[in-house]
Amino acid sequence: MQRFEELRFDNIYARLPPIFYSRHQPAGLNNQFLIHFNRSVAEMLGIDPVEAGRQDLVDLVTMNKPVQGFDPVAMCYSGHQFGQYVPRLGDGRAILLGQLLNDQQARWDLQLKGAGRTLYSRQGDGKAVLRSTIREHLCSAAMHGLGIPTTHSLAMFGSDEEVYREQIETGAMLIRVAPSHIRFGSFEYFFYTQRYEDLKTLADFTLEHYFPECWKEQDGYLGLLKRVIESTAELIASWQGVGFCHGVMNSDNMSIHGITIDYGPFGFLDAYDTGHVCNHSDYQGRYAFDQQPRIGLFNLSCLAQAMLPLFNENPESAAELATAELAKYEQIFEKAWTAQKRRKLGLVAERPEDATLFDQLLDMMQQSQTDFSLFFRQLSESNPQACRDNFIQRDRFDDWSRRYAKRLSQESRSETERRASMQKINPKYVLRNYLAENAIRMAEDEQDYTEIDRLISLLSSPFDPQPGMEHYAQRPPDWANTLSVSCSS
Ligand code: AMP
Ligand code: MG
């Protein structure tokens, strides 16, 4: 475990041709101070958690003190936003400092989010507000706790800088951590500007540093696409399994690593609603909960399209190769999602009727507006009365329960074993909107940041019952009905 000064940094992305990025020094905020440092992320990176108490971390990350190896850049990319191609996006408020090289020789990108204007800021101010920073900091930890691939947030900072949104808010910043911040949109940028040499450079860079095993395949580029299709399909199946709604699945918000990235107006389902739209600005419901798997394929098609010149010089042959890979998405997704369904119900043996049993349950949950997380947890705890109380049509639920009991009787595991395994897939605690909102209100109104710490520790072990925290697993209070989240943050 090392102290910050002992760490070695580099920035391999900044050695790519200049078209890939724009160099910027991060801008600190007025009276910037450390709000929360995530010790488990630090440990993952090989940073001594003792650093958690350091206030001069601000100087280090905003480069008021020189840090050898940092070479800060904003990355250039484009992407499909709400179905429309936008020719240039890029990091409008994020700055990639470089990669941390730890003792295990792992490379981790460290990126500041909210560090000032860049070449790609357009009309934006390059800043992030406290509200959205808290949400991202919390959700990164929550997703990791759930075992879902995600970017991480090492630390978050507050300030007394005024930031203008619908109202005056305060500026904040976080250190985002990921294997890399390469997005589907990174490839799209070079394809649509017809810079095929740069496209190849990006693909080679991605393969060399992050997917070296794909080089072994006959066609490394196609192998890369295949990997991204698999990891993205599996990622989205895991989102569906915990009721996570991303909110802005634009192709620039999709990671080449198949990890969840860009936490904006995300949400976890409270009452089960298959068409739930968590983003208030998504008027058409393009990114509704049940659309996510389909949108995953749309985004992968955008990536595949952008990679076409890499597959074959002949566009038709290239398209054939890409189409054949994309055609596998649905099957990969279904396989992962069916496995999720079985595990959520505590089934091991694979029987064709299991998916129907699960879907009928969801159908009843939809009708009764049953709380998604709470119900599956009650089912995992074999609490039949509590389960039954979630439904309006009790006789229908009783009928379902009888069929479920019959199905369970065909399993060879003991009830204790089954319960234990169900409690490892059906979380007791998820980052419900109202829980994040409580932490935000305490931070904004009282400069009290203790709830952030409490939630991070709770959500880092979301499957374990935690004494005294029972109320965090409950349905949202009535006031939470009025909460809305949108892209503006
Ligand atoms: P998002 O939907 O949050 O991923 O943002 C879409 C694009 O807008 C990205 O290129 C962001 O970098 C950019 N952006 C979002 N907020 C700001 C801001 N406050 N200042 C500058 N650029 C921003
Ligand atoms: Mg984004």
Side-chain angles (χ1 to χ4, degrees):
M1 291 288 151
Q2 294 169 287
R3 288 184 53 87
F4 219 80
E5 288 82 351
E6 296 161 356
L7 295 166
R8 286 188 306 127
F9 298 99
D10 187 11
N11 196 347
I12 47 174
Y13 202 82
R15 291 202 288 275
L16 285 166
I19 184 83
F20 281 70
Y21 51 80
S22 149
R23 281 205 160 76
H24 295 279
Q25 288 298 304
L29 300 164
N30 282 338
N31 294 323
Q32 190 170 335
F33 58 93
L34 179 67
I35 288 184
H36 189 263
F37 183 91
N38 189 321
R39 289 164 190 258
S40 43
V41 176
E43 271 175 52
M44 179 187 83
L45 299 178
I47 302 177
D48 192 336
V50 164
E51 301 285 286
R54 279 180 71 164
Q55 291 301 326
D56 66 340
L57 213 53
V58 174
D59 289 332
L60 287 166
V61 298
T62 56
M63 299 183 65
N64 281 338
K65 287 184 187 166
V67 181
Q68 205 180 354
F70 275 171
D71 189 358
V73 298
M75 294 164 73
C76 180
Y77 50 83
S78 62
H80 280 78
Q81 297 199 315
F82 291 90
Q84 302 295 319
Y85 184 66
V86 181
R88 198 169 82 167
L89 292 159
D91 293 332
R93 55 167 166 174
I95 290 182
L96 174 68
L97 297 171
Q99 294 85 38
L100 184 158
L101 306 165
N102 68 13
D103 292 343
Q104 293 88 47
Q105 298 307 312
R107 272 179 187 274
W108 288 99
D109 264 20
L110 296 191
Q111 195 194 54
L112 287 182
K113 193 162 171 187
R117 287 183 56 82
T118 73
L119 183 64
Y120 316 110
S121 298
R122 293 173 291 169
Q123 277 79 36
D125 56 8
K127 292 182 183 143
V129 299
L130 184 59
R131 168 173 55 89
S132 65
T133 304
I134 292 175
R135 283 172 54 85
E136 173 154 1
H137 189 67
L138 291 176
C139 200
S140 310
M143 294 295 261
H144 183 63
L146 290 167
I148 298 179
T150 177
T151 59
H152 305 275
S153 174
L154 174 62
M156 68 162 288
F157 305 92
S159 74
D160 59 16
E161 178 126 353
E162 289 190 345
V163 174
Y164 303 95
R165 295 291 182 265
E166 280 96 18
Q167 60 215 31
I168 298 179
E169 303 197 32
T170 54
M173 197 183 286
L174 58 76
I175 309 177
R176 183 158 64 180
V177 176
S180 92
H181 286 79
I182 299 171
R183 300 145 188 273
F184 292 8
S186 311
F187 288 83
E188 290 181 272
Y189 179 71
F190 295 115
F191 173 74
Y192 286 100
T193 49
Q194 298 182 351
R195 294 173 172 273
Y196 301 151
E197 270 309 305
D198 291 318
L199 179 69
K200 185 172 176 306
T201 303
L202 176 64
D204 290 345
F205 176 89
T206 308
L207 282 164
E208 180 192 342
H209 295 290
Y210 308 111
F211 300 93
E213 68 284 2
C214 289
W215 276 132
K216 294 190 196 94
E217 294 179 28
Q218 199 180 9
D219 182 338
Y221 301 127
L222 207 58
L224 174 61
L225 177 66
K226 202 187 277 193
R227 279 287 301 270
V228 184
I229 291 174
E230 280 165 10
S231 59
T232 304
E234 282 162 10
L235 175 72
I236 297 175
S238 65
W239 288 356
Q240 304 304 109
V242 294
F244 175 77
C245 208
H246 182 285
V248 212
M249 282 178 75
N250 293 333
S251 63
D252 51 298
N253 290 340
M254 300 290 290
S255 161
I256 204 81
H257 301 283
I259 59 180
T260 318
I261 190 170
D262 275 9
Y263 292 99
F266 66 83
F268 283 86
L269 295 179
D270 293 308
Y272 181 72
D273 175 12
T274 185
H276 178 68
V277 181
C278 64
N279 179 357
H280 217 64
S281 324
D282 181 6
Y283 307 113
Q284 311 286 326
R286 178 177 170 86
Y287 299 135
F289 179 66
D290 58 0
Q291 296 302 305
Q292 296 189 131
R294 193 181 62 77
I295 293 293
L297 179 58
F298 174 86
N299 287 331
L300 286 161
S301 310
C302 295
L303 173 67
Q305 165 91 44
M307 290 178 78
L308 285 182
L310 301 169
F311 300 148
N312 200 298
E313 279 170 16
N314 176 333
E316 275 175 28
S317 311
E320 252 173 54
L321 291 168
T323 310
E325 291 309 327
L326 289 168
K328 296 176 193 160
Y329 171 85
E330 218 159 301
Q331 213 184 349
I332 302 168
F333 173 79
E334 276 309 322
K335 187 167 174 229
W337 180 214
T338 306
Q340 286 269 342
K341 290 176 179 178
R342 273 206 187 92
R343 287 187 66 199
K344 284 187 84 68
L345 291 178
L347 306 172
V348 178
E350 296 184 12
R351 295 188 185 255
E353 66 274 21
D354 295 343
T356 315
L357 191 67
F358 189 88
D359 293 342
Q360 286 169 340
L361 175 62
L362 286 189
D363 194 43
M364 285 188 294
M365 290 174 77
Q366 173 87 28
Q367 281 192 2
S368 296
Q369 299 182 10
T370 305
D371 190 275
F372 187 70
S373 301
L374 197 58
F375 173 78
F376 278 105
R377 191 68 189 188
Q378 288 164 343
L379 196 68
S380 316
E381 288 162 355
S382 297
N383 190 344
Q385 192 55 48
C387 286
R388 190 173 189 267
D389 289 345
N390 285 293
F391 295 91
I392 301 167
Q393 291 172 295
R394 303 270 158 93
D395 46 349
R396 231 187 119 194
F397 178 73
D398 292 340
D399 175 53
W400 182 88
S401 288
R402 274 190 291 276
R403 280 182 291 128
Y404 177 52
K406 192 165 160 222
R407 175 65 187 83
L408 287 180
S409 70
Q410 298 163 346
E411 292 279 310
S412 53
R413 279 195 304 187
S414 71
E415 188 180 328
T416 319
E417 269 180 305
R418 175 173 53 78
R419 263 198 239 174
S421 86
M422 285 174 78
Q423 288 176 29
K424 289 198 185 96
I425 183 118
N426 294 310
K428 189 167 177 75
Y429 306 105
V430 290
L431 182 60
R432 295 171 187 268
N433 255 343
Y434 88 91
L435 294 177
E437 186 64 21
N438 279 335
I440 292 167
R441 289 186 185 176
M442 283 171 67
E444 284 182 341
D445 302 344
E446 298 154 49
Q447 289 76 53
D448 178 345
Y449 307 108
T450 52
E451 188 66 10
I452 297 174
D453 197 36
R454 207 169 297 127
L455 282 174
I456 296 245
S457 103
L458 179 79
L459 297 168
S460 298
S461 309
F463 300 107
D464 304 335
Q466 298 179 40
M469 304 300 276
E470 199 64 35
H471 52 297
Y472 283 82
Q474 296 307 313
R475 286 182 189 81
D478 289 344
W479 63 261
N481 291 334
T482 57
L483 289 177
S484 78
V485 283
S486 69
C487 283
S488 66
S489 56

